[in-house]
């Protein structure tokens, strides 16, 4: 999937964008951090700030609470049927494609994301640190048997929640409130943040940990940080460039810029 031709509408702040791409080209080791803002472009609601009414129907704190999940797993699975297991039908957006293209060209060493939708991988990114886990695999909380998302969904048919052959509850490998963060993933992302020369932050306001620690680590390791986010973040004062324009316009522009400069 790609964009063709020069864009007719060039985003405001185009000079900042050219400066951003110049920095990306010259930085050497570039790492990226993404949040819900890259996926809302694709129609996936921001589970933290969504105002479309999801949280009038579902109690967010309960759905993703590990103790509630163990007691009343149907609450999570009712939500998952509608909002999580449908994410596989969503196509990656401009931000996902831009990062995948950077990686394909050897200009990006990987991306850490707060999202659980798998859209970076769908766009072609290979090195993805999913800080909040992923629903694409699950496991039995009793015997530990692993399940694919497909198997989990199969076992969810016509029942309120999926069970293992041993009778144990099947839990997706998404990180719930009250659970430890995925240590290996987090360590991998932190190592990249420490060794990169430039960190791109896209579509996150950097208020949720552990994601918020990534720019902190990058900055204290001497990296520069570029922020593409429509609202202010706690790191704006320390960022080399802040771009608040519409993320879709910005990433389409950057993609076209890459194509026009270096071919496909
Ligand atoms: Zn089991």
């Amino acid at each position: 999937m790609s964009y063709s031709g020069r864009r007719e509408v060039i985003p405001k702040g185009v000079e900042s964008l050219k400066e951003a791409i110049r920095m990306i080209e010259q930085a050497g080791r570039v790492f990226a951090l993404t949040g819900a803002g890259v996926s809302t472009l694709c129609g996936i609601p921001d589970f933290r700030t969504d105002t479309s009414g999801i949280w009038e129907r579902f109690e967010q704190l309960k759905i993703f609470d590990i103790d509630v999940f163990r007691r009343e797993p149907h609450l999570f699975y009712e939500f998952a049927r509608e909002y999580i297991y449908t994410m596989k039908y969503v196509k990656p957006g401009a931000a996902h494609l831009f990062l995948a293209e950077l990686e394909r060209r050897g200009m990006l060493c990987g991306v850490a994301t707060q999202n659980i939708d798998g859209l970076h991988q769908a766009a072609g990114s290979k090195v993805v640190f999913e800080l909040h886990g992923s629903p694409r695999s699950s496991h039995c909380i009793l015997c530990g048997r692993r399940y694919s998302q497909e198997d989990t969904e199969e076992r969810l048919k016509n029942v309120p929640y999926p069970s293992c052959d041993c009778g144990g509850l099947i839990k997706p490998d998404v990180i719930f409130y009250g659970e430890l963060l995925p240590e290996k993933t987090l360590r991998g992302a932190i190592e990249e943040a420490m060794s990169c020369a430039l960190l791109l932050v896209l579509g996150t306001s950097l208020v949720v940990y552990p994601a918020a620690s990534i720019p902190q680590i990058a900055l204290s390791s001497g990296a520069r940080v570029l922020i593409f986010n429509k609202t202010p973040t706690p790191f704006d004062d320390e960022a080399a460039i802040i771009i608040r324009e519409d993320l879709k316009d910005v990433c389409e522009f950057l993609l076209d810029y890459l194509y026009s400069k270096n071919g496909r």
Side-chain angles (χ1 to χ4, degrees):
M1 196 172 168
S2 63
Y3 293 91
S4 56
R6 304 304 307 152
R7 287 184 55 73
E8 285 171 19
V9 181
I10 294 177
K12 284 182 291 179
V14 68
E15 288 312 315
S16 308
L17 283 179
K18 285 186 176 159
E19 177 65 9
I21 199 88
R22 193 187 60 75
M23 286 172 70
I24 293 166
E25 284 169 330
Q26 294 177 356
R29 203 167 175 81
V30 181
F31 188 49
L33 170 67
T34 67
V38 300
S39 294
T40 50
L41 301 181
C42 313
I44 290 181
D46 178 346
F47 293 141
R48 202 172 56 82
T49 60
D50 186 85
T51 52
S52 71
I54 298 176
W55 305 125
E56 287 163 20
R57 290 175 47 216
F58 296 97
E59 281 185 73
Q60 185 186 19
L61 289 174
K62 272 178 113 176
I63 286 166
F64 289 104
D65 182 297
I66 191 61
D67 295 323
V68 175
F69 178 78
R70 289 196 184 103
R71 285 197 312 268
E72 302 173 272
H74 67 278
L75 292 175
F76 169 82
Y77 279 109
E78 204 175 303
F79 176 81
R81 268 186 228 271
E82 199 169 335
Y83 289 104
I84 295 180
Y85 293 139
T86 49
M87 287 174 176
K88 59 177 178 263
Y89 302 115
V90 176
K91 291 210 165 31
H96 304 103
L97 295 170
F98 170 59
L99 294 176
E101 185 62 23
L102 280 180
E103 187 185 341
R104 195 173 73 81
R105 290 171 187 245
M107 297 165 71
L108 182 77
C109 60
V111 51
T113 186
Q114 295 168 277
N115 304 334
I116 60 168
D117 48 48
L119 287 174
H120 286 298
Q121 293 92 328
S125 284
K126 306 286 183 227
V127 182
V128 183
F129 300 93
E130 296 178 297
L131 301 173
H132 296 172
S134 163
R136 288 186 307 289
S137 60
S138 305
H139 65 277
C140 167
I141 62 172
L142 277 188
C143 75
R145 181 174 160 188
R146 316 269 325 149
Y147 290 90
S148 66
Q149 179 175 328
E150 206 179 11
D151 292 340
T152 308
E153 286 187 70
E154 188 60 37
R155 283 173 186 252
L156 184 57
K157 277 185 184 158
N158 308 316
V159 289
Y161 53 87
S163 304
C164 180
D165 292 344
C166 79
L169 171 63
I170 294 175
K171 178 191 170 294
D173 296 337
V174 169
I175 309 303
F176 282 56
Y177 298 122
E179 279 195 301
L180 291 175
L181 292 164
E183 195 189 333
K184 206 173 135 210
T185 303
L186 189 58
R187 199 170 52 232
I190 287 171
E191 279 167 11
E192 293 291 359
M194 286 171 78
S195 58
C196 72
L198 185 70
L199 176 72
L200 305 178
V201 173
L202 291 92
T204 166
S205 43
L206 298 171
V207 291
V208 179
Y209 280 84
S213 60
I214 302 290
Q216 186 61 64
I217 291 163
L219 284 165
S220 51
S221 306
R224 296 214 270 183
V225 174
L226 307 189
I227 298 177
F228 301 73
N229 195 54
K230 65 182 176 208
T231 56
T233 83
F235 294 92
D236 286 1
D237 286 347
E238 293 164 282
I241 296 179
I242 301 165
I243 293 181
R244 295 216 197 287
E245 274 71 37
D246 181 82
L247 195 56
K248 181 169 179 283
D249 286 349
V250 165
C251 289
E252 287 182 357
F253 178 84
L254 292 171
L255 260 177
D256 278 348
Y257 186 90
L258 279 181
Y259 291 147
S260 69
K261 197 152 180 235
N262 304 307
R264 281 165 193 265

